[in-house]
Structures are given as C-alpha cells and as structure tokens.
Amino acid sequence: MFKKYGLLVWLSLILIAGFVFTTFASYIVSRDTIQQSISEQTLPLTGDNVYSEIQRDILRPVFVSSQMAHDTFLRDWILNGEEDQELITKYLKEIKQKNNAVSSFLISEKSRNYYHSEGLLKKIKEGDPRDSWFFRVKNLKTQYETNVDLDQANHDTVTIFVNYRIFDYQGEFLGATGVGLTLDTLKHLIDSYQKRFDRKIFFVDQKGKVTLNGSNFSKTGGSLQAMSGIQSISDKILSNHSSSSSHLEYMGNNGTVLLNSRYIPELGWYLLVEQETNADIKPLQNIFLLNIAISAGITLLIAGIVLISVRRYQTRLEKSASTDALTNLLNRHAFDFVFQQALLDSERTRQPMCVILFDVDFFKKINDKQGHMVGDHVLKEVAAIAKRSLRESDVICRWGGEEFLVLLKNCTLEKSTSIAENLRNTIANNDFSRTTDLTRGRLSVTVSMGVAQCRENESEDSVFERADLALYQAKENGRNSVYFSE
C-alpha cells in the first residue's frame, strides 16, 4: 500500500510542509505588507479623497466669485457712484441664496464700503487689523485668494473666503468680491470619512495648532507639540510645505501609529490622517490560524485575481477619464486643468505662454469620399506627427472633431508661430497612405492654424477665442497656413 502510494504520500507531505511553511512566512510578510500598504497606499488614498473633496467644495465658490468679479452690473454699479445700495444688497443676497453660500460680499476701493447680503456692513480702514486682508488682496499677483477668517457679517463665524479682485474696463482695480463657506462643511466631510475608513482625520495650522477635527477627536494638548507620541514627529510634519504627502509613524499608547501628512496651500493647513496597526493585524492572525489548512490558498488566489482586476480596471478608468480614445492625446476636460495650472505658473514666473489651435482642412471631404476609417487614420497620424514635432514641454490635446489645441510654455508669439509653421509644413509634406492599407495612391492632408499669446490677466476663454479667430482667418485666406493674433 505504501509502496503503491508512497510517492503520492511524500509529495503530499512535502506540499503540506511547504504550504505550512509558506503560510507562516506569508503571515510575517503580510503583517509587514499591511503596515506598508496602510502607510503608502491606504492613508494617502484617504488623504487624496479628503483633499479632492475640499478642492471640489472650494472650486465652486471660486467659480461663483469669478462670475461676480466679471459681472458688468457689479462693475457698472461701482463706476456709477454706488448710488442705489438696495440694488447691490439684492444682488448679493441672490448670489448667496442661489449658491448656498454663508456669505457674499463686495468692497469698493473708491468708497471703502463693505457691502453684504443684508446691506452696508462697515467702512474698510487701512489701520484696522481685521481689514488687512482687503489691502493684501489689492496687491495680489493672482486673480483671487482663498483664506480662512472670521465673518464679521455672520457673527464672526470661522469661514473659508474666496476673495476675487475686480477691475474696470481699463484694468484699474475697483475692489474685491466673493463668497464664503462655513467650516462645518469640512467638519461633516471629516466625520463621514472617519466613519467610512475608521481612521482619525484632523487639520493643524503651520504652527501645529489643531484647527479642525471630527466629532470624536480624542487627542489632548491642542497642538502637535503638546500631544503624546506625535510630538516626536511634529517638526517633520510642519517642515513639509509641498502638497505631496509624507509617510510617518510614531509610538502611541496602543502600539505603532501610521500617519500621512499633506500641506493644503488653499487653506494654509496640514491634513493629517492616522491609523493604529494593532486592530488591523490581530484579525489577520486569527484568520491565518483558523484557515491555515483549508482556505489560505484560495484566499491568496482570489486576492491575486482581485488585485490584478482592480489594477487593470483602475488603469483603464484613469486613462479613459483624461485621454482621447482615438488619438491617445489629452481630452478637452483634462486639458482645462493643465491649462489653468500653466496659466498660474506663467503669471507667477512672468514667462510667455502661447496656444496653437489647428484643424484638418476639408476633413469632411475625406470622410465622405474615403470613409470614416480613413478619417480616423488621418486624425491619429496628425496627432502622432504633432507629438513628434513639438517640444517635450508642450502639451497637445484633441479639442474636438478634427480640431487640436497645443499649449506652448515659455514661448513667445514669434517662436510659437515658427513652431506652428514647421508643424504645418511637416503635415503637408507627409504621405498619409504609407501607414495604412485603406487608401490607394498618395494621401496628402493640410492643416490651418491660429496662434495666440496669453496676455496678462487674460481669461482662458479669451485666449482660445483669439486663437480661434486667427484660425478662421487662415481658413478664409486659402487654408494650409498659419495666422496669429496680436
């Protein structure tokens, strides 16, 4: 009997011994991996989610404040002497109600009057510390700022304000306007994430003082420097002034505590997410002990399949959210974020920035005569040529249909026009039939281009409108050419 099944028995014993050893080793590895995963993935992901929610909640007030600052009614009312205060009060009240804001305001540079949704609040005084924010906004290099302050029109409630600068039609400073949202919004957000992820989330200012926390915040001391355990890494937390997250740990009362720290420049605060590891490791011990003989292999197999599936799905999801499926270029939605950041960088560094808007000439005829598959091939080939021809720092996206948009950083109008001409010439000399079997004979394509340089304090829509006008001139004057907007 043993001789007949001896090899099978030995193989079984070897497999069992190997499985027991592997399972035990896996426990050790898994314990360390869990700690590393919490530190490098789970906590940063929670911080990213909270950060994105904060940006979302702040982005809408920024948009509303921008509309207010560019509203011709508001500017004309100031320029006409601020005669009927009831009109501006009604306007601010409607802004507040329609956008669920806790505050809406207007300060005139000429009269120094502080208007809000209930009427005239006060006069701004240059020597008053509570009015210093207005004179700071007046001298800003950017269009707006976001800051946390006490709302004088709302019983000194701690409020996040979006302060947007107003200019007249000649570019002269008229005052500041905007809206505010209460910190209760962020407090509810913290509570929801703490409940969902079972982690402690709180904010501290640049001096380490706790500024915002959830309902079940249990730390004592009021600041990082006075809290047991975390005080040992307080200097490392407060020394990081970039928005990238940092992974830290310290010894708490119940063992190792992992902490993820991120500086939020919109608020001037640090977002801290922490988690104790004991609660995560203890269930793992029980699971390994109870399932060592029957389920560890299946668990590892399923975990591997799930991990691969999630990673593939996440990769596809991220790519589809920001990439044009046909050309693999950035889509219009993703380009908007890139352009806004580049515009801020250009204003900060005072380096020129230009855009090139171009489309394929007579593209409809290509689709009608040779089919949409050939049209798709032309678009992919034009995208590939543009990517090869442009600089590494340049950003190109598919703007829509047969239109493409190029962002040229640190580039003058003259240089941008030269780059556009080189690209136009490259496309015009290319034989598009060489890379496809869909056509017979040579297939030539031309493009028309419009170039515009971003002006100081110019809006995104204005830049694209001037580039589009230049493109229209190129098409009106025979196509296959480059025109620029002064």
Side-chain angles (χ1 to χ4, degrees):
M1 188 73 176
F2 181 78
K3 290 182 179 180
K4 185 175 182 180
Y5 298 103
L7 181 60
L8 181 60
V9 171
W10 280 112
L11 288 175
S12 298
L13 291 173
I14 292 172
L15 288 174
I16 291 172
F19 177 73
V20 171
F21 175 79
T22 302
T23 303
F24 179 75
S26 297
Y27 163 71
I28 302 298
V29 173
S30 297
R31 181 192 63 187
D32 296 337
T33 301
I34 283 179
Q35 291 183 342
Q36 183 179 4
S37 176
I38 293 173
S39 176
E40 298 181 1
Q41 296 181 18
T42 310
L43 291 183
L45 180 60
T46 304
D48 289 342
N49 287 336
V50 176
Y51 184 51
S52 64
E53 292 287 345
I54 291 172
Q55 286 186 313
R56 185 195 66 184
D57 289 336
I58 292 178
L59 188 60
R60 176 166 178 77
V62 170
F63 176 73
V64 172
S65 300
S66 174
Q67 286 186 314
M68 295 171 66
H70 294 91
D71 194 327
T72 55
F73 161 75
L74 188 146
R75 288 187 287 181
D76 289 343
W77 186 83
I78 297 175
L79 292 171
N80 291 333
E82 309 170 31
E83 294 180 355
D84 192 345
Q85 293 186 11
E86 184 177 348
L87 289 177
I88 200 64
T89 300
K90 184 178 180 181
Y91 172 85
L92 294 173
K93 188 172 185 179
E94 186 174 1
I95 289 290
K96 175 183 174 181
Q97 291 176 346
K98 285 190 174 182
N99 295 281
N100 295 321
V102 297
S103 179
S104 59
F105 62 91
L106 166 67
I107 293 88
S108 168
E109 163 67 6
K110 184 177 180 179
S111 66
R112 298 288 171 87
N113 284 338
Y114 188 134
Y115 302 100
H116 68 112
S117 58
E118 301 299 327
L120 178 63
L121 178 66
K122 56 179 287 187
K123 275 189 175 293
I124 295 292
K125 297 180 181 179
E126 194 160 358
D128 192 338
R130 300 196 66 176
D131 298 334
S132 61
W133 67 270
F134 175 76
F135 302 98
R136 181 182 68 249
V137 171
K138 179 180 178 181
N139 297 315
L140 280 178
K141 300 299 182 182
T142 57
Q143 289 275 23
Y144 72 96
E145 71 163 11
T146 303
N147 78 311
V148 179
D149 205 347
L150 299 178
D151 187 358
Q152 300 179 49
N154 193 23
H155 308 293
D156 280 349
T157 304
V158 180
T159 304
I160 300 176
F161 285 102
V162 179
N163 304 317
Y164 222 104
R165 304 170 74 201
I166 313 170
F167 296 92
D168 64 14
Y169 302 103
Q170 285 73 43
E172 295 297 326
F173 181 72
L174 286 179
T177 189
V179 296
L181 64 156
T182 178
L183 286 182
D184 287 342
T185 303
L186 301 183
K187 195 175 185 70
H188 293 320
L189 179 66
I190 291 176
D191 286 337
S192 67
Y193 272 94
Q194 286 188 150
K195 183 178 180 180
R196 188 187 310 175
F197 297 107
D198 193 25
R199 298 181 184 93
K200 294 179 181 178
I201 303 171
F202 58 102
F203 293 83
V204 299
D205 61 20
Q206 297 184 43
K207 294 182 179 179
K209 181 181 178 181
V210 177
T211 54
L212 186 63
N213 53 265
S215 302
N216 60 346
F217 189 71
S218 59
K219 294 183 180 295
T220 59
S223 67
L224 296 181
Q225 296 84 347
M227 295 178 185
S228 176
I230 197 173
Q231 60 184 356
S232 61
I233 58 172
S234 60
D235 290 341
K236 293 182 180 180
I237 294 173
L238 301 178
S239 63
N240 179 25
H241 295 290
S242 67
S243 58
S244 59
S245 60
S246 58
H247 317 302
L248 303 168
E249 63 179 61
Y250 66 92
M251 290 302 298
N253 296 329
N254 299 320
T256 302
V257 179
L258 302 178
L259 182 141
N260 181 263
S261 170
R262 177 197 296 271
Y263 180 68
I264 302 180
E266 292 91 341
L267 300 177
W269 293 351
Y270 291 90
L271 168 63
L272 304 182
V273 182
E274 65 176 30
Q275 181 175 350
E276 296 181 354
T277 60
N278 288 348
D280 292 272
I281 294 177
K282 188 173 182 179
L284 180 66
Q285 294 172 339
N286 296 333
I287 290 174
F288 270 104
L289 292 174
L290 292 174
N291 299 286
I292 191 171
I294 56 177
S295 63
I298 297 175
T299 302
L300 291 174
L301 179 61
I302 293 176
I305 294 174
V306 170
L307 180 62
I308 293 173
S309 300
V310 169
R311 284 181 175 177
R312 289 180 177 177
Y313 177 76
Q314 185 178 15
T315 301
R316 290 198 302 267
L317 190 65
E318 291 175 351
K319 185 176 181 180
S320 63
S322 61
T323 307
D324 176 62
L326 178 65
T327 62
N328 284 326
L329 299 176
L330 289 180
N331 58 29
R332 188 166 183 167
H333 178 72
F335 184 84
D336 283 340
F337 290 98
V338 175
F339 182 85
Q340 288 295 336
Q341 185 60 51
L343 193 60
L344 292 175
D345 291 342
S346 176
E347 292 177 354
R348 177 176 54 83
T349 60
R350 295 192 174 279
Q351 292 179 341
M353 186 175 72
C354 295
V355 295
I356 302 174
L357 181 64
F358 70 93
D359 69 359
V360 180
D361 295 331
F362 305 111
F363 183 73
K364 186 176 184 301
K365 291 184 179 180
I366 297 176
N367 280 335
D368 293 342
K369 290 184 178 180
Q370 305 199 43
H372 288 276
M373 291 184 66
V374 174
D376 289 347
H377 166 71
V378 168
L379 294 178
K380 289 190 288 186
E381 190 72 7
V382 167
I385 293 172
K387 289 173 69 175
R388 292 195 303 266
S389 303
L390 296 172
R391 306 172 304 175
E392 290 186 6
S393 61
D394 299 334
V395 182
I396 180 172
C397 82
R398 185 180 179 190
W399 195 242
E402 68 273 22
E403 283 191 323
F404 298 84
L405 187 64
V406 181
L407 173 64
L408 303 173
K409 302 177 183 178
N410 191 17
C411 194
T412 63
L413 180 62
E414 181 181 359
K415 178 64 176 177
S416 300
T417 305
S418 175
I419 292 174
E421 180 59 30
N422 290 336
L423 176 58
R424 182 206 61 77
N425 187 59
T426 302
I427 294 174
N429 293 327
N430 184 66
D431 182 7
F432 284 77
S433 66
R434 291 184 304 171
T435 52
T436 181
D437 297 324
L438 298 174
T439 62
R440 296 180 180 179
R442 181 180 178 85
L443 175 60
S444 297
V445 171
T446 62
V447 294
S448 300
M449 297 187 169
V451 184
Q453 180 173 338
C454 299
R455 299 167 179 168
E456 186 175 357
N457 298 324
E458 186 177 24
S459 67
E460 178 181 356
D461 291 339
S462 176
V463 177
F464 296 158
E465 183 179 352
R466 292 193 294 108
D468 188 58
L469 180 61
L471 172 61
Y472 177 80
Q473 291 176 332
K475 297 174 76 69
E476 284 292 303
N477 289 278
R479 294 182 169 84
N480 191 23
S481 58
V482 176
Y483 277 71
F484 61 87
S485 171
E486 293 288 352

